[in-house]
Amino acid sequence: MRIKVKVEGFKELDKALQQLTRATAKGVARRVLAKAAEPIAEAGRANAPLGPTGNLKASYGVGTKLTRRQSKLHRKESPVEVFVGPNDPAAIQTEFGNEHQAAEPHMRPAWDANKDRALEIISEELGSEIEKAAARAAKRAARLARKMGG
């Protein structure tokens, strides 16, 4: 399933992000996206039943890595991607059900309830994270200039 989101008003932030080095910009984006994904993970954790293994609630998290199987199925859409959800294999069966168990959705309701909040967090945090990264880069450049000059 693909979900496309169109946002407006981020042009200035995008220009500021492009002023940073690629690695720094990726780090900024990763931190902001992880922070924005946390409310979705918390809601998923709260919605999730214990599951057949008892690990479903505890398996919710936010990260940048997928399992080997997920990586094979995933088509990368952006230089920076952050994933949120459970890592328990039983989660799919619990979310969608099967012939032996009824569906108990936990991830979709978490997304539906928190997607707007995630976008708010991105819009609130991105500017300050860019400013912090730029300040760190300037401090590093000044330190390097002092080292080279003296």
Side-chain angles (χ1 to χ4, degrees):
M1 174 174 53
R2 293 201 178 284
I3 297 172
K4 290 224 180 224
V5 178
K6 183 178 179 179
V7 292
E8 295 176 0
F10 281 87
K11 281 189 178 169
E12 295 81 17
L13 291 173
D14 187 39
K15 285 180 185 174
L17 205 52
Q18 289 176 10
Q19 299 299 313
L20 303 172
T21 65
R22 184 181 296 187
T24 302
K26 281 183 169 185
V28 166
R30 201 174 295 117
R31 281 191 299 278
V32 171
L33 290 174
K35 195 178 281 189
E38 199 52 51
I40 299 168
E42 288 174 16
R45 211 174 288 121
N47 293 346
L50 279 176
T53 61
N55 297 328
L56 185 55
K57 278 185 180 288
S59 75
Y60 262 87
V62 175
T64 57
K65 302 275 189 240
L66 293 172
T67 64
R68 189 174 295 142
R69 181 181 174 282
Q70 290 169 331
S71 294
K72 287 179 186 174
L73 298 172
H74 178 66
R75 188 168 51 227
K76 194 168 174 90
E77 304 236 355
S78 172
V80 178
E81 295 180 331
V82 173
F83 305 99
V84 60
N87 62 12
D88 185 344
I92 294 171
Q93 301 299 318
T94 306
E95 179 84 14
F96 298 106
N98 58 38
E99 64 186 31
H100 303 293
Q101 92 183 52
E104 295 180 72
H106 43 92
M107 187 64 218
R108 182 57 190 246
W111 165 255
D112 288 340
N114 291 285
K115 62 186 173 192
D116 294 333
R117 178 68 187 126
L119 192 55
E120 280 175 31
I121 291 171
I122 292 168
S123 67
E124 291 167 3
E125 298 289 328
L126 191 55
S128 66
E129 280 292 329
I130 291 170
E131 287 173 8
K132 288 179 197 173
R136 284 192 302 268
K139 194 173 180 182
R140 203 168 27 249
R143 193 170 48 238
L144 185 61
R146 276 196 312 272
K147 197 181 242 185
M148 299 299 241

